[in-house]
Amino acid sequence: MFGLKTDWFEEASPRYYSVGDYEGGTARWCPGCGDHAVLTAVQRLCRDEQLEPEKTVFVSGIGCASRFPHYMNAYGFHGLHGRALPVACGIRARRPDLHVFVSTGDGDCCSIGAGHWVHAIRYNMKMVVMLLDNNLYGLTKNQTSPTSGKGSKTNTHPQGSVLDPINPIQTTLGISNASFVAQTVDWNPAHLLATLEAAHQHPGLAFVRILQRCPHFQTGLFDPLQSDPSKLLLLTHPDGIALDESITRVLKNQREHDPADLAGAREIADLEEATPIGLFYRNENADRYDDFTVQGLATSRADKLTALESELDRYQI
Ligand code: SF4
């Protein structure tokens, strides 16, 4: 044709996603709520990893943290109280091509969702599970949660909670087939992002507990940790969370911990003199249930097709 070269073609450049491409609705958490910091970190993670929004899904249950999917420009499933994890496992089983994130709170995950928590950890299907732990039920207005400290005064225990709290790190480490267990805080954006990046790179279920401020009902709960960084114990190791100078310069109370050492992880999880943050445990070789579901479906379909073809051959159809 006149005017067109025969070898002409248009090469579309791959799309680059900026942070704004992941922004969903305006976040309606209270001013100063730690959830805002987690949302920002996750949007940066998506940008850094260039996750396609249409290949990314956020799943949640009920609670303040569970409003997360509304604020991401990606697929989302805002489900029932405590049921985020089975929904996420179902998505992962049928759509292993998607990046799956779960946003859950301490009431959602550690109380009504505790049974699903145990089994999802054991299934070890690839996803990032963020436990935004503010030590109470916020959405239902200041009730004691399983992680509320003994003596905390809430609307359900005005005289103070009477039981010792669940330690979500210790609990997760005790579940068979746990493969990635980490802890971070919402007010250190560099450590928060580095932890989420490591979690996203993990081939199985990455469980990240994020100490999350709730200024509305838990004013000052984490003030001692914020005002005195020596109260945080930074876990260091070449196989742990990648730490840049902006983290190590501030958090000088450090301890080297090999994340392959499960017994050491359990000992650190019980420390009372400081709050440990970093990677407690990682096992990249743990069995993953999604390997079996994906292969099982593929094998089953292939077997059916092969059988059908041989039937057609037999009857020369
Ligand atoms: Fe955040 Fe607490 Fe407000 Fe909920 S009640 S949005 S956790 S500050």
Side-chain angles (χ1 to χ4, degrees):
M1 281 196 311
F2 178 77
L4 281 181
K5 293 182 185 173
T6 52
D7 61 349
W8 180 89
F9 66 96
E10 184 179 9
E11 188 176 328
S13 57
R15 184 170 174 203
Y16 178 81
Y17 298 102
S18 65
V19 167
D21 288 315
Y22 301 103
E23 290 174 357
T26 304
R28 293 189 183 166
W29 293 306
C30 304
C33 175
D35 292 356
H36 293 285
V38 180
L39 179 66
T40 300
V42 169
Q43 288 168 345
R44 286 185 60 191
L45 167 71
C46 291
R47 186 272 318 270
D48 293 349
E49 299 292 327
Q50 286 295 290
L51 304 186
E52 296 167 270
E54 64 272 23
K55 291 280 186 183
T56 307
V57 58
F58 287 80
V59 185
S60 67
I62 295 294
C64 292
S66 292
R67 296 198 56 78
F68 211 95
H70 296 273
Y71 308 143
M72 289 296 302
N73 180 32
Y75 280 102
F77 193 109
H78 188 177
L80 298 174
H81 202 204
R83 271 52 175 187
L85 287 166
V87 171
C89 288
I91 292 170
R92 183 68 201 160
R94 289 297 179 267
R95 290 295 304 272
D97 56 318
L98 301 183
H99 305 282
V100 180
F101 291 82
V102 172
S103 177
T104 180
D106 41 300
D108 193 50
C109 175
C110 308
S111 186
I112 192 170
H116 298 303
W117 175 23
V118 170
H119 292 288
I121 295 293
R122 178 171 155 260
Y123 292 168
N124 192 32
M125 301 169 100
K126 178 165 174 50
M127 64 183 73
V128 176
V129 177
M130 302 178 290
L131 171 63
L132 284 75
D133 190 351
N134 57 11
N135 291 196
L136 54 67
Y137 290 82
L139 194 72
T140 43
K141 311 299 178 210
N142 194 21
Q143 298 165 317
T144 302
S145 90
T147 62
S148 300
K150 194 172 185 178
S152 338
K153 294 185 177 171
T154 65
N155 287 342
T156 45
H157 290 90
Q159 306 303 320
S161 170
V162 293
L163 296 177
D164 281 327
I166 279 179
N167 178 336
I169 295 292
Q170 193 66 273
T171 303
T172 308
L173 289 169
I175 299 171
S176 63
N177 213 36
S179 70
F180 183 109
V181 184
Q183 180 156 271
T184 184
V185 294
D186 76 50
W187 58 90
N188 189 316
H191 192 267
L192 174 60
L193 179 57
T195 306
L196 292 174
E197 279 173 349
H200 180 253
Q201 283 157 14
H202 181 64
L205 188 151
F207 179 85
V208 181
R209 182 194 188 198
I210 304 169
L211 302 185
Q212 176 246 317
R213 292 164 297 172
C214 170
H216 196 71
F217 291 122
Q218 287 278 33
T219 313
L221 176 68
F222 296 123
D223 280 0
L225 300 183
Q226 284 185 271
S227 58
D228 181 2
S230 72
K231 289 194 162 61
L232 289 175
L233 177 65
L234 180 66
L235 303 182
T236 66
H237 194 274
D239 295 333
I241 305 298
L243 303 171
D244 65 26
E245 208 205 327
S246 71
I247 302 171
T248 54
R249 196 177 55 234
V250 177
L251 303 175
K252 295 194 187 305
N253 184 14
Q254 302 175 7
R255 174 163 164 178
E256 181 156 299
H257 165 66
D258 182 350
D261 176 7
L262 179 58
R266 300 196 69 166
E267 185 230 314
I268 293 170
D270 265 350
L271 289 179
E272 291 186 353
E273 62 270 24
T275 300
I277 61 169
L279 185 55
F280 286 76
Y281 183 65
R282 172 165 55 203
N283 175 11
E284 295 191 344
N285 298 316
D287 284 338
R288 299 181 343 199
Y289 198 50
D290 36 353
D291 279 345
F292 297 104
T293 55
V294 172
Q295 287 171 14
L297 285 172
T299 305
S300 158
R301 280 188 187 141
D303 285 351
K304 281 178 188 164
L305 277 175
T306 306
L308 182 61
E309 280 167 6
S310 66
E311 281 293 287
L312 294 174
D313 281 350
R314 197 149 71 93
Y315 294 105
Q316 297 186 329
I317 298 172

